[in-house]
Amino acid sequence: MSPTELDLTMMARAIDLARQASGLGEVPIGAIVYHTQTGEVFAQASNRRERDRDPAGHAEFEAIRRACRRLGDWRLNDFSLAVTLEPCVMCAGAIVNARVGRVLYGAADPKAGAVRTLHRLLEDPRLNHRAVVLPGVMEKPCAALLTDFFRNLRRA
């Protein structure tokens, strides 16, 4: 399955959120939860681990929380999540538990990726929910944000 124009628009917005996070000293990751059919954005977030001193302050985790609050339900079956980096185990667990219908991500995460790289949690038939996965959406700009951020951090 290929990403739609709507998916690409949402990933571009997630990249903008990631850039903003980088400017605040956060690892540049952005996430958007939107209705798959209408394109209505229900929530967006960027990483907040440093600002909040919270290990759960991942962009996708926060975007899922906000979307559920706004919807008034914990089920996001009709929603898509666009995130600039492949979700970790914690975030993949939140995606499964929130029943997110589709997940698209930009850069693969060789150290913590739980969607395709290290694990395949969103497609595991042993779990009670599976999401449609679109990996590598706008991968190069997503990966470049991370590479540049960590290169600059090492220089400093």
Side-chain angles (χ1 to χ4, degrees), residues 106-139:
D109 187 346
K111 294 184 179 182
V115 176
R116 289 276 172 92
T117 305
L118 299 178
H119 306 284
R120 296 178 78 96
L121 292 180
L122 302 188
E123 299 166 306
D124 191 325
R126 296 170 296 178
L127 299 178
N128 61 347
H129 175 74
R130 280 163 293 292
V132 173
V133 175
L134 288 86
V137 176
M138 299 176 73
E139 182 175 14

Side-chain angles (χ1 to χ4, degrees), residues 18-138:
R19 281 191 187 106
Q20 292 171 21
S22 180
L24 297 170
E26 295 283 352
V27 175
I29 301 170
I32 303 212
V33 175
Y34 58 98
H35 192 275
T36 303
Q37 299 304 314
T38 68
E40 182 181 358
V41 173
F42 266 65
Q44 60 185 26
S46 60
N47 263 22
R48 298 191 55 89
R49 287 188 343 167
E50 297 301 326
R51 285 177 281 173
D52 294 349
R53 292 174 174 71
D54 180 0
H58 291 198
E60 56 270 54
F61 199 87
E62 185 61 29
I64 289 168
R65 280 179 161 162
R66 291 176 185 176
C68 289
R69 278 190 225 117
R70 179 170 173 202
L71 183 62
D73 194 354
W74 56 268
R75 295 170 194 88
L76 298 173
N77 299 76
D78 297 328
F79 291 82
S80 295
L81 168 69
V83 60
T84 56
L85 181 66
E86 179 181 6
C88 68
V89 171
M90 176 184 70
C91 293
I95 291 164
V96 168
N97 282 300
R99 313 291 197 269
V100 176
R102 297 169 69 244
V103 175
L104 47 142
Y105 67 86
D109 187 346
K111 294 184 179 182
V115 176
R116 289 276 172 92
T117 305
L118 299 178
H119 306 284
R120 296 178 78 96
L121 292 180
L122 302 188
E123 299 166 306
D124 191 325
R126 296 170 296 178
L127 299 178
N128 61 347
H129 175 74
R130 280 163 293 292
V132 173
V133 175
L134 288 86
V137 176
M138 299 176 73

